[in-house]
Amino acid sequence: MRNAQRPLAGVIDSHCHLDFKHFNRDREAVMENARRAGVVRMINSGVDYSTNSKSLELAKRYEFISATLGFSPNSIDGKKEPEIQMLLDQIEENAGQAVGIGEAGLDYYHSKDAPTRERQAEIFKRVIAIAESFGLPLVIHSRDAEQPALDMVKHLEKVVFHCYSGTLPTMREAQDRGFYISLATNVCRSGHHQILAKNVSLDHLLVETDSPFLSPRKGRNEPANVLDAVRLIARIKGLEPQDVAAQTAANTKRIYNIH
């Protein structure tokens, strides 16, 4: 098994969705596989009311899981104001049990029309306000909308661009503001993401799987596969994999204030 050939220690998967139905049959085994591979912590990110609740439950049950509470732009469709407010209230009421707010943001890949994008921005502003009021890091989903999302959060101090896929200039601008860039396991099969990996500053880098999505190979992704990303990024940067594992873990602990 590739992950067993050269063990790494202290790795953190900074963004995953272990609560999703894709893991219903073998969730415990998936977590144990990650722990055996050297993953010491997993940040489970909520995207809506149900997944926020499940993320909180996982964080309570397992000391190696932390939760972020979010409102994905892809969870907005069909929701009327009472449901939107209920979700925002849930995030606010449980913020003390979370290490971050998000994922939340803009998705121009799935939403092409102006009214939908404007609605996303309106709700994103409300989530930004919650993160700011609690002093928690904001985890941004910004597919095909990295620059517009960055423009909306320039006043914040703690920001993570989850699964960053944007341009080099926007990435550099985010880094210059002290924000963190999280690269996912799709770096293993994407030339664009490998260019990002070459250029990202190691002290602003997080690694993630976005499990069950973005697998470095066929099939379902899982937290153990974050080691694939660590090894490839190390090779691209001419560094030792353990050094990349250690620095990205330190960055994750710093932004989320975890130990």
Side-chain angles (χ1 to χ4, degrees):
M1 202 172 92
R2 225 183 316 182
N3 284 343
Q5 287 174 358
R6 196 179 294 176
L8 295 176
V11 185
I12 297 180
D13 182 356
S14 71
H15 192 109
C16 59
H17 302 281
L18 287 164
D19 59 288
F20 279 22
K21 63 182 180 183
H22 308 68
F23 298 110
N24 283 354
R25 283 188 299 177
D26 61 349
R27 188 170 287 109
E28 294 276 352
V30 166
M31 290 189 290
E32 185 53 38
N33 186 42
R35 303 263 288 162
R36 276 200 309 270
V39 179
V40 293
R41 184 168 290 275
M42 301 154 226
I43 313 288
N44 205 80
S45 184
V47 299
D48 58 18
Y49 196 95
S50 171
T51 59
N52 286 340
S53 296
K54 290 172 184 170
S55 294
L56 288 168
E57 286 171 20
L58 283 171
K60 280 179 191 164
R61 194 176 309 156
Y62 302 99
E63 49 84 24
F64 53 84
I65 292 181
S66 299
T68 69
L69 305 177
F71 193 160
S72 168
N74 298 321
S75 300
I76 291 169
D77 287 354
K79 286 187 171 57
K80 294 188 166 53
E81 180 55 32
E83 196 176 356
I84 290 168
Q85 190 57 55
M86 183 174 77
L87 205 163
L88 294 170
D89 288 344
Q90 178 203 36
I91 294 172
E92 201 159 0
E93 288 162 11
N94 293 282
Q97 300 172 61
V99 297
I101 303 298
E103 61 187 272
L106 309 172
D107 193 310
Y108 287 3
Y109 177 83
H110 287 105
S111 303
K112 311 292 186 190
D113 62 290
T116 304
R117 290 180 176 183
E118 286 165 13
R119 191 160 187 251
Q120 286 183 359
E122 177 213 323
I123 291 170
F124 186 32
K125 280 180 193 167
R126 294 161 76 178
V127 179
I128 291 169
I130 295 172
E132 190 173 17
S133 69
F134 283 93
L136 286 169
L138 178 70
V139 183
I140 296 182
H141 172 119
S142 57
R143 192 170 183 187
D144 286 358
E146 289 82 7
Q147 188 64 49
L150 177 58
D151 290 341
M152 291 180 68
V153 300
K154 286 180 177 177
H155 61 293
L156 298 182
E157 291 183 9
K158 302 181 212 172
V159 172
V160 174
F161 273 87
H162 136 68
C163 189
Y164 185 81
S165 301
T167 65
L168 284 173
T170 300
M171 183 179 80
R172 289 192 179 110
E173 185 182 350
Q175 279 186 176
D176 288 347
R177 293 181 175 278
F179 298 165
Y180 289 84
I181 304 297
S182 184
L183 294 181
T185 33
N186 58 349
V187 70
C188 298
R189 49 182 175 78
S190 163
H192 175 64
H193 288 83
Q194 288 165 21
I195 291 169
L196 294 173
K198 183 178 175 64
N199 286 275
V200 69
S201 165
L202 188 60
D203 60 358
H204 289 86
L205 177 64
L206 310 184
V207 287
E208 64 169 278
T209 59
D210 201 23
S211 304
F213 313 113
L214 307 182
S215 179
R217 54 185 86 75
K218 285 185 180 178
R220 178 190 70 176
N221 204 4
E222 58 180 76
N225 291 338
V226 77
L227 275 70
D228 292 55
V230 169
R231 291 194 178 103
L232 179 61
I233 291 167
R235 193 157 72 243
I236 289 169
K237 288 185 162 299
L239 299 168
E240 286 298 320
Q242 185 58 58
D243 292 342
V244 173
Q247 186 61 56
T248 54
N251 296 342
T252 308
K253 290 175 181 178
R254 186 182 313 116
I255 186 63
Y256 288 122
N257 193 29
I258 54 180
H259 306 289

